[in-house]
Amino acid sequence: SEGSSMALSVELAGGPFLPGNVQFHKWIFSSDWYTRLFGTDRISLAASSTFGYVDGLTDNPNIPPIEYFYMGGTGVGYVSTTQLRGYEDRSIGPRDPANQVIGGRLMVKHGLELRFALTINPIPIYLLAFAEGGNVFADFTRADLFDLKRGYGLGARILINPLGMVGFDYGYGADDV
């Protein structure tokens, strides 16, 4: 219910020291902040931001499609897919002429989540409301960091040992994709 977490992930493929036919660098920065509200452990506010960037090291980097960013849905079961509740899986991002999402090189996502603990012991159960926005862009030249697809909704979580946190969210995607 209180604290922060920051992480920076860097991936390097190819370059002068790593042989191969793919040449790229990928950066992901995420920041999460948790604060108690009203002086109690039962109500907290979580704020999060995630930024991602992938680009080639050479003029012909041969970046695999799996390394590009995708957004939408649960984010479960897909590599390089960022969750954005209220939208279909992998539905947000640049599209090809056939209107299929092809993934992008730049990703941004922000979120707020208000959590209420129904019970803490012996089994923690939480209710939550969330608002988040994010988008994936082809590159920096086509990025509009204020053009975010918005999602709102409600959810519930239960901590089951040894599985961990298990939950259900119902999200509404407020923008067309």
Side-chain angles (χ1 to χ4, degrees), residues 40-69:
T40 177
D41 285 340
R42 289 192 177 268
I43 302 173
S44 63
L45 181 68
S48 64
S49 289
T50 304
F51 302 93
Y53 179 65
V54 62
D55 199 10
L57 294 171
T58 63
D59 290 337
N60 187 15
N62 194 23
I63 302 171
I66 198 170
E67 296 297 340
Y68 286 96
F69 294 105

mmCIF file of all heavy atoms in Angstrom, residues 40-69:
data_model
loop_
_atom_site.group_PDB
_atom_site.id
_atom_site.type_symbol
_atom_site.label_atom_id
_atom_site.label_comp_id
_atom_site.label_asym_id
_atom_site.label_seq_id
_atom_site.Cartn_x
_atom_site.Cartn_y
_atom_site.Cartn_z
ATOM 1 N N THR A 40 -4.953 4.963 6.216
ATOM 2 C CA THR A 40 -5.259 3.559 6.454
ATOM 3 C C THR A 40 -4.544 2.680 5.423
ATOM 4 O O THR A 40 -4.275 3.120 4.301
ATOM 5 C CB THR A 40 -6.776 3.298 6.390
ATOM 6 O OG1 THR A 40 -7.014 1.908 6.552
ATOM 7 C CG2 THR A 40 -7.381 3.760 5.087
ATOM 8 N N ASP A 41 -4.256 1.442 5.809
ATOM 9 C CA ASP A 41 -3.644 0.491 4.879
ATOM 10 C C ASP A 41 -4.664 -0.096 3.905
ATOM 11 O O ASP A 41 -4.297 -0.767 2.950
ATOM 12 C CB ASP A 41 -2.994 -0.668 5.650
ATOM 13 C CG ASP A 41 -1.696 -0.249 6.300
ATOM 14 O OD1 ASP A 41 -1.119 0.764 5.873
ATOM 15 O OD2 ASP A 41 -1.255 -0.938 7.241
ATOM 16 N N ARG A 42 -5.933 0.131 4.152
ATOM 17 C CA ARG A 42 -6.982 -0.483 3.327
ATOM 18 C C ARG A 42 -7.235 0.237 2.005
ATOM 19 O O ARG A 42 -7.729 -0.356 1.061
ATOM 20 C CB ARG A 42 -8.283 -0.570 4.102
ATOM 21 C CG ARG A 42 -8.223 -1.602 5.206
ATOM 22 C CD ARG A 42 -9.608 -1.872 5.744
ATOM 23 N NE ARG A 42 -9.582 -2.899 6.759
ATOM 24 C CZ ARG A 42 -9.760 -4.184 6.515
ATOM 25 N NH1 ARG A 42 -9.953 -4.597 5.289
ATOM 26 N NH2 ARG A 42 -9.734 -5.059 7.492
ATOM 27 N N ILE A 43 -6.908 1.523 1.920
ATOM 28 C CA ILE A 43 -7.151 2.291 0.697
ATOM 29 C C ILE A 43 -5.822 2.865 0.215
ATOM 30 O O ILE A 43 -5.111 3.531 0.970
ATOM 31 C CB ILE A 43 -8.160 3.427 0.931
ATOM 32 C CG1 ILE A 43 -9.479 2.868 1.460
ATOM 33 C CG2 ILE A 43 -8.392 4.204 -0.352
ATOM 34 C CD1 ILE A 43 -10.477 3.919 1.870
ATOM 35 N N SER A 44 -5.494 2.589 -1.043
ATOM 36 C CA SER A 44 -4.242 3.105 -1.596
ATOM 37 C C SER A 44 -4.439 3.521 -3.051
ATOM 38 O O SER A 44 -5.361 3.077 -3.730
ATOM 39 C CB SER A 44 -3.131 2.065 -1.483
ATOM 40 O OG SER A 44 -3.447 0.923 -2.243
ATOM 41 N N LEU A 45 -3.536 4.381 -3.494
ATOM 42 C CA LEU A 45 -3.534 4.855 -4.869
ATOM 43 C C LEU A 45 -2.222 4.433 -5.506
ATOM 44 O O LEU A 45 -1.154 4.654 -4.940
ATOM 45 C CB LEU A 45 -3.669 6.378 -4.912
ATOM 46 C CG LEU A 45 -3.708 7.015 -6.297
ATOM 47 C CD1 LEU A 45 -4.993 6.630 -7.027
ATOM 48 C CD2 LEU A 45 -3.589 8.524 -6.185
ATOM 49 N N ALA A 46 -2.306 3.798 -6.662
ATOM 50 C CA ALA A 46 -1.115 3.369 -7.407
ATOM 51 C C ALA A 46 -1.049 4.160 -8.704
ATOM 52 O O ALA A 46 -2.019 4.220 -9.450
ATOM 53 C CB ALA A 46 -1.186 1.879 -7.703
ATOM 54 N N ALA A 47 0.093 4.794 -8.958
ATOM 55 C CA ALA A 47 0.327 5.520 -10.207
ATOM 56 C C ALA A 47 1.491 4.846 -10.924
ATOM 57 O O ALA A 47 2.493 4.506 -10.305
ATOM 58 C CB ALA A 47 0.652 6.978 -9.917
ATOM 59 N N SER A 48 1.350 4.661 -12.232
ATOM 60 C CA SER A 48 2.407 3.973 -12.972
ATOM 61 C C SER A 48 2.635 4.632 -14.326
ATOM 62 O O SER A 48 1.723 5.220 -14.907
ATOM 63 C CB SER A 48 2.052 2.505 -13.167
ATOM 64 O OG SER A 48 0.897 2.385 -13.964
ATOM 65 N N SER A 49 3.858 4.530 -14.805
ATOM 66 C CA SER A 49 4.223 4.992 -16.145
ATOM 67 C C SER A 49 5.221 4.008 -16.726
ATOM 68 O O SER A 49 6.096 3.508 -16.023
ATOM 69 C CB SER A 49 4.859 6.385 -16.101
ATOM 70 O OG SER A 49 3.902 7.357 -15.779
ATOM 71 N N THR A 50 5.082 3.742 -18.013
ATOM 72 C CA THR A 50 5.997 2.856 -18.718
ATOM 73 C C THR A 50 6.317 3.479 -20.074
ATOM 74 O O THR A 50 5.419 3.961 -20.765
ATOM 75 C CB THR A 50 5.373 1.458 -18.925
ATOM 76 O OG1 THR A 50 4.985 0.928 -17.655
ATOM 77 C CG2 THR A 50 6.363 0.513 -19.575
ATOM 78 N N PHE A 51 7.597 3.472 -20.407
ATOM 79 C CA PHE A 51 8.064 3.989 -21.684
ATOM 80 C C PHE A 51 8.946 2.927 -22.333
ATOM 81 O O PHE A 51 9.736 2.287 -21.651
ATOM 82 C CB PHE A 51 8.888 5.271 -21.501
ATOM 83 C CG PHE A 51 8.151 6.369 -20.804
ATOM 84 C CD1 PHE A 51 8.240 6.514 -19.431
ATOM 85 C CD2 PHE A 51 7.359 7.254 -21.526
ATOM 86 C CE1 PHE A 51 7.557 7.523 -18.776
ATOM 87 C CE2 PHE A 51 6.673 8.264 -20.877
ATOM 88 C CZ PHE A 51 6.763 8.400 -19.500
ATOM 89 N N GLY A 52 8.826 2.764 -23.639
ATOM 90 C CA GLY A 52 9.662 1.805 -24.341
ATOM 91 C C GLY A 52 10.131 2.354 -25.667
ATOM 92 O O GLY A 52 9.428 3.143 -26.316
ATOM 93 N N TYR A 53 11.338 1.938 -26.074
ATOM 94 C CA TYR A 53 11.899 2.374 -27.340
ATOM 95 C C TYR A 53 12.782 1.267 -27.906
ATOM 96 O O TYR A 53 13.576 0.665 -27.175
ATOM 97 C CB TYR A 53 12.719 3.650 -27.147
ATOM 98 C CG TYR A 53 13.349 4.166 -28.406
ATOM 99 C CD1 TYR A 53 12.570 4.633 -29.461
ATOM 100 C CD2 TYR A 53 14.728 4.188 -28.555
ATOM 101 C CE1 TYR A 53 13.156 5.107 -30.631
ATOM 102 C CE2 TYR A 53 15.317 4.666 -29.720
ATOM 103 C CZ TYR A 53 14.527 5.124 -30.748
ATOM 104 O OH TYR A 53 15.089 5.579 -31.906
ATOM 105 N N VAL A 54 12.636 0.984 -29.179
ATOM 106 C CA VAL A 54 13.503 0.025 -29.865
ATOM 107 C C VAL A 54 13.928 0.654 -31.191
ATOM 108 O O VAL A 54 13.130 1.317 -31.860
ATOM 109 C CB VAL A 54 12.804 -1.347 -30.079
ATOM 110 C CG1 VAL A 54 11.585 -1.225 -30.961
ATOM 111 C CG2 VAL A 54 13.766 -2.379 -30.633
ATOM 112 N N ASP A 55 15.210 0.479 -31.537
ATOM 113 C CA ASP A 55 15.717 1.032 -32.791
ATOM 114 C C ASP A 55 16.916 0.213 -33.238
ATOM 115 O O ASP A 55 17.535 -0.507 -32.443
ATOM 116 C CB ASP A 55 16.111 2.497 -32.613
ATOM 117 C CG ASP A 55 16.194 3.245 -33.936
ATOM 118 O OD1 ASP A 55 15.769 2.694 -34.981
ATOM 119 O OD2 ASP A 55 16.688 4.381 -33.935
ATOM 120 N N GLY A 56 17.252 0.361 -34.496
ATOM 121 C CA GLY A 56 18.364 -0.380 -35.071
ATOM 122 C C GLY A 56 19.704 0.258 -34.776
ATOM 123 O O GLY A 56 19.807 1.459 -34.548
ATOM 124 N N LEU A 57 20.738 -0.568 -34.799
ATOM 125 C CA LEU A 57 22.107 -0.086 -34.632
ATOM 126 C C LEU A 57 22.736 0.266 -35.977
ATOM 127 O O LEU A 57 23.728 0.968 -36.024
ATOM 128 C CB LEU A 57 22.964 -1.152 -33.942
ATOM 129 C CG LEU A 57 22.591 -1.479 -32.498
ATOM 130 C CD1 LEU A 57 23.357 -2.695 -32.006
ATOM 131 C CD2 LEU A 57 22.847 -0.295 -31.593
ATOM 132 N N THR A 58 22.153 -0.241 -37.052
ATOM 133 C CA THR A 58 22.662 0.012 -38.397
ATOM 134 C C THR A 58 21.503 0.464 -39.285
ATOM 135 O O THR A 58 20.352 0.497 -38.851
ATOM 136 C CB THR A 58 23.289 -1.271 -38.991
ATOM 137 O OG1 THR A 58 22.264 -2.268 -39.107
ATOM 138 C CG2 THR A 58 24.421 -1.790 -38.120
ATOM 139 N N ASP A 59 21.815 0.771 -40.545
ATOM 140 C CA ASP A 59 20.773 1.181 -41.496
ATOM 141 C C ASP A 59 19.840 0.037 -41.855
ATOM 142 O O ASP A 59 18.694 0.245 -42.209
ATOM 143 C CB ASP A 59 21.408 1.751 -42.764
ATOM 144 C CG ASP A 59 22.071 3.093 -42.509
ATOM 145 O OD1 ASP A 59 21.679 3.768 -41.535
ATOM 146 O OD2 ASP A 59 22.981 3.453 -43.277
ATOM 147 N N ASN A 60 20.309 -1.207 -41.777
ATOM 148 C CA ASN A 60 19.500 -2.388 -42.066
ATOM 149 C C ASN A 60 19.529 -3.301 -40.833
ATOM 150 O O ASN A 60 20.227 -4.321 -40.829
ATOM 151 C CB ASN A 60 20.035 -3.115 -43.306
ATOM 152 C CG ASN A 60 19.118 -4.234 -43.725
ATOM 153 O OD1 ASN A 60 17.980 -4.309 -43.288
ATOM 154 N ND2 ASN A 60 19.625 -5.113 -44.573
ATOM 155 N N PRO A 61 18.780 -2.950 -39.769
ATOM 156 C CA PRO A 61 18.926 -3.654 -38.490
ATOM 157 C C PRO A 61 18.287 -5.032 -38.435
ATOM 158 O O PRO A 61 18.655 -5.837 -37.594
ATOM 159 C CB PRO A 61 18.249 -2.723 -37.495
ATOM 160 C CG PRO A 61 17.236 -1.993 -38.306
ATOM 161 C CD PRO A 61 17.836 -1.849 -39.678
ATOM 162 N N ASN A 62 17.299 -5.323 -39.294
ATOM 163 C CA ASN A 62 16.622 -6.622 -39.286
ATOM 164 C C ASN A 62 16.029 -6.932 -37.910
ATOM 165 O O ASN A 62 16.269 -7.995 -37.342
ATOM 166 C CB ASN A 62 17.582 -7.734 -39.726
ATOM 167 C CG ASN A 62 16.844 -9.017 -40.052
ATOM 168 O OD1 ASN A 62 15.649 -8.989 -40.354
ATOM 169 N ND2 ASN A 62 17.529 -10.127 -39.964
ATOM 170 N N ILE A 63 15.260 -5.991 -37.349
ATOM 171 C CA ILE A 63 14.637 -6.178 -36.036
ATOM 172 C C ILE A 63 13.506 -7.192 -36.173
ATOM 173 O O ILE A 63 12.604 -7.006 -36.985
ATOM 174 C CB ILE A 63 14.086 -4.847 -35.481
ATOM 175 C CG1 ILE A 63 15.208 -3.817 -35.369
ATOM 176 C CG2 ILE A 63 13.409 -5.064 -34.135
ATOM 177 C CD1 ILE A 63 14.733 -2.425 -35.048
ATOM 178 N N PRO A 64 13.529 -8.280 -35.388
ATOM 179 C CA PRO A 64 12.443 -9.271 -35.479
ATOM 180 C C PRO A 64 11.104 -8.658 -35.053
ATOM 181 O O PRO A 64 11.054 -7.826 -34.136
ATOM 182 C CB PRO A 64 12.867 -10.355 -34.488
ATOM 183 C CG PRO A 64 14.319 -10.146 -34.265
ATOM 184 C CD PRO A 64 14.574 -8.688 -34.459
ATOM 185 N N PRO A 65 9.999 -9.042 -35.697
ATOM 186 C CA PRO A 65 8.678 -8.484 -35.346
ATOM 187 C C PRO A 65 8.326 -8.677 -33.871
ATOM 188 O O PRO A 65 7.608 -7.862 -33.302
ATOM 189 C CB PRO A 65 7.716 -9.265 -36.240
ATOM 190 C CG PRO A 65 8.537 -9.746 -37.369
ATOM 191 C CD PRO A 65 9.920 -9.961 -36.825
ATOM 192 N N ILE A 66 8.841 -9.718 -33.243
ATOM 193 C CA ILE A 66 8.532 -9.986 -31.838
ATOM 194 C C ILE A 66 9.126 -8.927 -30.908
ATOM 195 O O ILE A 66 8.690 -8.775 -29.779
ATOM 196 C CB ILE A 66 8.997 -11.403 -31.452
ATOM 197 C CG1 ILE A 66 8.313 -11.859 -30.182
ATOM 198 C CG2 ILE A 66 10.505 -11.461 -31.310
ATOM 199 C CD1 ILE A 66 8.526 -13.318 -29.873
ATOM 200 N N GLU A 67 10.104 -8.160 -31.387
ATOM 201 C CA GLU A 67 10.752 -7.142 -30.553
ATOM 202 C C GLU A 67 10.055 -5.789 -30.605
ATOM 203 O O GLU A 67 10.313 -4.934 -29.775
ATOM 204 C CB GLU A 67 12.218 -6.979 -30.957
ATOM 205 C CG GLU A 67 13.049 -8.224 -30.733
ATOM 206 C CD GLU A 67 13.161 -8.642 -29.277
ATOM 207 O OE1 GLU A 67 12.934 -7.802 -28.376
ATOM 208 O OE2 GLU A 67 13.488 -9.820 -29.032
ATOM 209 N N TYR A 68 9.164 -5.580 -31.574
ATOM 210 C CA TYR A 68 8.408 -4.331 -31.631
ATOM 211 C C TYR A 68 7.385 -4.304 -30.500
ATOM 212 O O TYR A 68 7.051 -5.336 -29.917
ATOM 213 C CB TYR A 68 7.710 -4.187 -32.983
ATOM 214 C CG TYR A 68 8.656 -3.852 -34.101
ATOM 215 C CD1 TYR A 68 9.174 -4.846 -34.911
ATOM 216 C CD2 TYR A 68 9.031 -2.539 -34.344
ATOM 217 C CE1 TYR A 68 10.047 -4.547 -35.947
ATOM 218 C CE2 TYR A 68 9.899 -2.221 -35.379
ATOM 219 C CZ TYR A 68 10.407 -3.233 -36.163
ATOM 220 O OH TYR A 68 11.273 -2.920 -37.174
ATOM 221 N N PHE A 69 6.843 -3.121 -30.204
ATOM 222 C CA PHE A 69 5.870 -2.966 -29.125
ATOM 223 C C PHE A 69 4.446 -3.108 -29.659
ATOM 224 O O PHE A 69 4.123 -2.629 -30.745
ATOM 225 C CB PHE A 69 6.017 -1.603 -28.448
ATOM 226 C CG PHE A 69 7.325 -1.448 -27.732
ATOM 227 C CD1 PHE A 69 8.331 -0.670 -28.265
ATOM 228 C CD2 PHE A 69 7.552 -2.102 -26.531
ATOM 229 C CE1 PHE A 69 9.538 -0.531 -27.609
ATOM 230 C CE2 PHE A 69 8.759 -1.965 -25.868
ATOM 231 C CZ PHE A 69 9.756 -1.181 -26.411
#
